Each structure stands twice: as C-alpha cells, then as structure tokens.
Amino acid sequence: MNPIRANPLSLDIEYAIRDVIIPATELEKQGHRIMKLNIGDPNKYDFDTPDLIKDSVKEALELGLNGYAPSSGLPQLVDAIKMDERSRGNNIESNDIIVTHGVTEALQMLFYASLSPGDEVLVPGPSYPPYITYVKMMGAIPVPYRTIEEEGWVPDVDDIRSKIGPKTKALSIINPNNPTGALYGSKTIKQIGDIVGEHGSSFIISDEIYDLMTFDKETPSTANENKDLPVITMNGISKIYLAPGWRVGYLSIRDPEDQLSEIRDGVERQSRARLCANSICQYGYYKALTTNRDHINNTMSKLKKRRDLAHRRLNEIEGTSTQLPGGAFYMFPKIDCIKEGPWKDDKEFSLDLLKEEKVLTVFGSGFGKEYGSDHFRIVILPQEEVLDEAFDGMDRLIKKRTQP
Ligand SMILES: Cc1ncc(COP(=O)(O)O)c(C=O)c1O
C-alpha cells in the first residue's frame, strides 16, 4: 500500500495559540494546575455571554429558525450589521454584507477568492496567525510590515511604503490588535490608506473584531477613514458579545471605484456553495447588535484593572518589559533577558515557564518570526489573583535562570 499524500501546503499550517495546549494538557493529566494566559476566549475565564443574548437563542428556536438561512445571512442580521457599520461611518448597503461562520471563515473565503500563487499580502508584524497560514495555503506570500514596539506597536508606515509593490494584492490591518493590544488612531489608518491609494491595485482588509473593546479611545472605522478605497471590514460576535463558540461574523465590502467586482463574485459563490452560516446563532448576533450593550462597560472595567496590573507587574520583573495596550485583551511582552542566553529562543522560554511554573503563554515567534521573536503573548482575561500568581512564577523562573 502506498501512502496517500496530503496537500503539502496543509502540512505547513501552524497555530501556536493551540499548539502550546498539547504539553499543557499532558501536565494537567499528571495532576498539575495550569495558569492559562494563552487563549483569547473570555468564556474560559470569569466572563459569560450576556443573558439577553443567550435568551435570543431560545427565541430563535421558538420562531422556528431551524432551516437554512439565505447564504448572505439572515435578513434581520444583515440589516443590523448595515446599521451598525453605518453608525461608524461605513456607508455600506445590505448587499455588501456576507454573514460567515466567524471572521475566520470570512478570511478563508476572501483569500480563496482573491489570492493566486505568488501574490503578496501585507500583514502586521507580529500578526494573528491565520493571516500568515491562510495566505500561505493559497500559495501566496504574507509579507509582515513592522509595527513599532516602543511607540505602542503602531504600524511603521515607512516600512509599509517600502514593502508594497507590484505583487501586493491586499494589506491587512487588525485594529485593536491581536497579539499586541495596540489601538491605531485615525491618522495612522489614513496614512496607511494613502499608501494603498497610491498603489492603486490593492485593497485593505480591516479586522475590527475588537472594535468596541477599547480602554480610553474609540476605534476608527478603516472604511470610514478611507472613503475612496476598497476596504473589506470584518467583525463578529466572538469577542465583544462574549460568544466565540457561536461562530458568527461577517465581511462587508466597500468598493467605491468598483475594483472588487470579481472578488465579490468569488466570495458570494463560496457563500452559496457552503449554504449558510448557523441560523440560530445569526439570530443571536442580530439580538446582540440591536439590544442594550451596557455589558461591554462591565467587561472593559474588569479588563482595565487586569491590564493595569499586568502592565505594572511585567515592567517590574527584571528581564521583561511591556507596552500599555489600548484595546482587546492581549499583551505582547518582551523577554529582555533572553539576550543573556538562558533560553535559545522564545519558544524555549514559554515551554520552560510552563514546565517549571505551570504558566501557559504563547511564544512570540508563533505570531511571525521576524517581529514576534523574543516575546510572548498573554491574555489579560484571568482574575487578578491568577495574574499575580503567574507573574510571581515568571519572576522566580527568570531569577533562577539569570542569577548565578
Ligand atoms: C484578530 C482576530 N481576528 C479573528 C479572530 C477569530 O474570529 P472568529 O471567532 O470570528 O472566527 C480572532 C480570534 O482570536 C482574532 O484575534
């Protein structure tokens, strides 16, 4: 019998955020308690889907929404998304929206519809891994652009200018950002847009899944800041509405100069071929967008305390330093002491921290080697006691490995 070969591109897929769970599960089996600072799922911590959103699922069942929905989405949800985007200045129409199984499926569809082998996509460095892996799956090339750590991880527009070229098909922005928690202001978003506008044959992908999760300032809508450009905005129920397992999101296409007709067609065809997103959960997202959103303030006031604690502790530990995030629930601290040689790389640091102190983080190079190395990502979702205990462990390990 001969081995039946896989598509080699599928064997290159890596997702560091979940890959680190394997050794952690092993330790748990041995009876250890793991402090989990690794996964961006608020529901794994002391956050839960608001009751009024949960109740909508029962309502959807009572309404009999058990059949397939239209491929582009449940009409009431599409309408709610349109109103929501418009309230942020993104003047789209209903037929510009496609509801998907989360931003993840939106990305898959969009990359499949737009990329050919050899095309390049500018992605933030460091970057949320699907922007790297899915682009590679298409035989295309993710080109990371620098974000400036010392300035709070904002994009380096000169670096973008130097990397955009004839092969560039798209540029992605994640705002607020995963893994750094950076929040980009209107000025930066416009500067990036100007470069894409000068280029003339590329579009912007704006992942705004954390848009309402900010600490002080608001997230600008990329499409609103760049009204003349082709911008595909993505968002969903996972983060703000605390329902990541429901798997609902969308992409919306803003295309003022009609440059994206083919890509739009390619996405729509895929949406029809996969029938529709989950009808019941689409109704839940419709309710989430159209009812009271005070729950976001509660989430953010909890997160703000945890962010401040994590920021203080990580800058106090001799050997790590970190920037203050403006949004989302991540931090991307630097392992300053790595240059002294206690670990060969950030992956070894994260695994050592897990084995010795039972603190689970994600190694920075999992978000792209060029800009992610010598860092690690944490979530600030755990309760303060857990964060404190985890930072105590980190401090102990670093002292043990760096002091004779
Ligand atoms: C920037 C970003 N985009 C998309 C996703 C996934 O979105 P969804 O749950 O809608 O697929 C995540 C999840 O962590 C994320 O951080």
Side-chain angles (χ1 to χ4, degrees):
M1 291 293 196
N2 298 320
I4 302 171
R5 298 282 174 209
N7 173 349
L9 293 175
S10 73
L11 303 178
D12 279 345
I13 295 177
E14 281 177 37
Y15 192 68
I17 301 166
R18 286 189 178 233
D19 291 351
V20 291
I21 294 174
I22 300 162
T25 311
E26 221 25 70
L27 287 168
E28 270 178 335
K29 273 193 209 146
Q30 293 164 18
H32 295 287
R33 176 183 148 253
I34 307 294
M35 285 169 269
K36 292 178 182 156
L37 274 61
N38 62 313
I39 197 139
D41 179 351
N43 300 53
K44 297 270 185 304
Y45 304 86
D46 63 337
F47 297 86
D48 194 12
T49 319
D51 284 340
L52 58 93
I53 303 178
K54 281 190 199 163
D55 290 345
S56 67
V57 170
K58 289 178 218 143
E59 208 178 306
L61 293 172
E62 278 153 21
L63 286 169
L65 293 174
N66 299 303
Y68 293 125
S71 295
S72 56
L74 211 60
Q76 53 270 63
L77 172 59
V78 170
D79 197 49
I81 292 169
K82 180 180 79 182
M83 298 317 286
D84 198 56
E85 284 293 336
R86 285 184 169 204
S87 74
R88 302 181 59 233
N90 181 12
N91 288 330
I92 46 164
E93 300 297 337
S94 299
N95 59 8
D96 294 324
I97 295 164
I98 297 191
V99 176
T100 56
H101 279 123
V103 167
T104 308
E105 194 194 31
L107 281 174
Q108 286 171 333
M109 285 185 181
L110 179 61
F111 288 146
Y112 200 77
S114 60
L115 298 180
S116 301
D119 284 346
E120 293 181 354
V121 180
L122 286 170
V123 300
S127 183
Y128 176 57
Y131 285 87
I132 302 170
T133 50
Y134 289 159
V135 169
K136 283 190 183 163
M137 260 304 283
M138 303 313 308
I141 305 156
V143 178
Y145 59 83
R146 177 175 178 244
T147 58
I148 310 167
E149 178 168 10
E150 309 75 51
E151 294 175 21
W153 296 106
V154 292
D156 178 342
V157 281
D158 294 330
D159 195 51
I160 293 177
R161 195 171 286 111
S162 74
K163 287 177 177 166
I164 199 162
K167 292 187 182 157
T168 308
K169 202 52 158 314
L171 177 146
S172 58
I173 295 172
I174 304 172
N175 193 29
N177 188 269
N178 177 7
T180 62
L183 171 66
Y184 314 154
S186 314
K187 190 172 158 217
T188 306
I189 296 291
K190 275 194 202 127
Q191 283 173 331
I192 297 174
D194 287 346
I195 298 170
V196 172
E198 279 163 34
H199 181 260
S201 42
S202 52
F203 64 95
I204 298 182
I205 303 166
S206 189
D207 182 337
E208 298 175 11
I209 193 157
Y210 301 99
D211 64 345
L212 299 180
M213 293 193 119
T214 60
F215 296 107
D216 305 305
K217 298 182 185 145
E218 288 187 7
T219 308
S221 150
T222 303
N224 180 38
E225 299 299 340
N226 295 287
K227 291 196 171 63
D228 306 333
L229 295 182
V231 178
I232 300 192
T233 305
M234 300 190 178
N235 211 327
I237 199 174
S238 292
K239 310 293 175 175
I240 293 152
Y241 304 100
L242 304 168
W246 291 20
R247 313 305 304 125
V248 195
Y250 66 90
L251 61 80
S252 73
I253 302 172
R254 171 86 172 257
D255 186 21
E257 303 285 336
D258 237 356
Q259 292 174 277
L260 297 177
S261 330
E262 269 192 27
I263 293 173
R264 183 194 287 263
D265 188 29
V267 172
E268 285 172 356
R269 284 168 188 274
Q270 289 176 77
S271 79
R272 293 194 291 271
R274 65 73 161 114
L275 308 187
C276 68
N278 180 313
S279 315
I280 299 290
C281 295
Q282 288 194 58
Y283 189 78
Y285 191 19
Y286 151 68
K287 279 285 167 166
L289 287 175
T290 50
T291 41
N292 185 311
R293 300 194 208 183
D294 285 352
H295 58 88
I296 304 172
N297 298 335
N298 303 340
T299 304
M300 292 320 289
S301 62
K302 260 159 88 168
L303 282 179
K304 190 165 188 171
K305 289 197 195 103
R306 295 172 195 190
R307 174 197 71 160
D308 292 343
L309 178 138
H311 180 250
R312 177 175 59 75
R313 291 285 326 256
L314 283 161
N315 284 327
E316 277 168 6
I317 294 174
E318 219 170 296
T320 61
S321 58
T322 196
Q323 302 294 314
L324 189 71
F329 38 62
Y330 305 99
M331 279 194 189
F332 203 63
K334 188 168 186 185
I335 319 161
D336 297 301
C337 61
I338 208 160
K339 54 186 180 301
E340 294 163 33
W343 304 278
K344 88 170 180 298
D345 54 26
D346 49 275
K347 187 168 183 180
E348 199 172 81
F349 166 80
S350 280
L351 289 176
D352 198 19
L353 185 62
L354 172 65
K355 283 189 194 127
E356 287 277 316
E357 296 292 344
K358 314 294 176 284
V359 178
L360 182 56
T361 59
V362 187
F363 49 94
S365 50
F367 299 87
K369 283 205 168 54
E370 191 176 352
Y371 297 109
S373 294
D374 299 348
H375 291 77
F376 58 99
R377 190 194 77 169
I378 63 159
V379 295
I380 51 168
L381 294 164
Q383 284 167 295
E384 277 134 291
E385 310 83 80
V386 180
L387 286 173
D388 255 327
E389 205 184 328
F391 296 133
D392 288 344
M394 218 174 270
D395 196 16
R396 234 181 348 256
L397 178 75
I398 290 176
K399 285 207 173 88
K400 198 157 51 172
R401 297 283 185 260
T402 56
Q403 291 174 8

